[in-house]
């Protein structure tokens, strides 16, 4: 009965794996601290060209938990969502 089973194969497996790969972004500016106790730092990041040419030069505002400073490189799993600005 094991011979009757069909194992699905996907031609786009390498493309799908690349889509889930982290995108590299450089911290350009520290905007401030947020969160109830100031444990989150809001930063402006700019994507590097080496991982995705279509993201090159695009910048986002993101929230980062933990120590971060200008010039650090972040590996972002999600590149569409942008953090709300501090007031």
């Amino acid at each position: 009965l094991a011979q009757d089973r069909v194992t699905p194969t996907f031609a786009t497996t390498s493309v799908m794996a690349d889509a889930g790969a982290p995108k590299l972004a450089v911290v350009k500016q520290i905007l401030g601290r947020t969160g109830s106790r100031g444990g989150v730092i809001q930063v402006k990041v700019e994507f590097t060209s080496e991982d995705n040419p279509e993201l090159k030069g695009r910048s986002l505002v993101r929230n980062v938990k933990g120590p971060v400073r200008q010039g650090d490189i972040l590996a972002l799993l999600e590149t569409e969502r942008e953090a709300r600005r501090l007031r």
Side-chain angles (χ1 to χ4, degrees):
L1 295 174
Q3 297 170 353
D4 296 336
R5 294 184 192 163
V6 176
T7 304
T9 57
F10 299 101
T12 59
T13 304
S14 62
V15 174
M16 290 169 53
D18 189 48
K23 312 297 186 279
L24 301 179
V26 179
V27 176
K28 291 296 180 185
Q29 183 181 7
I30 306 287
L31 300 176
R33 288 187 172 265
T34 185
S36 61
R37 297 183 180 188
V40 178
I41 303 170
Q42 200 164 65
V43 298
K44 183 172 219 152
V45 298
E46 187 175 300
F47 290 99
T48 60
S49 62
E50 51 199 48
D51 51 339
N52 270 354
E54 66 268 6
L55 290 175
K56 182 182 180 184
R58 183 169 167 224
S59 62
L60 287 177
V61 174
R62 295 299 298 254
N63 292 329
V64 179
K65 186 170 181 175
V68 66
R69 59 184 169 196
Q70 195 168 350
D72 283 354
I73 297 175
L74 303 178
L76 302 176
L77 296 176
E78 202 278 321
T79 60
E80 297 298 318
R81 204 169 22 163
E82 189 164 4
R84 283 185 261 158
R85 307 272 177 170
L86 291 171
R87 298 180 216 193

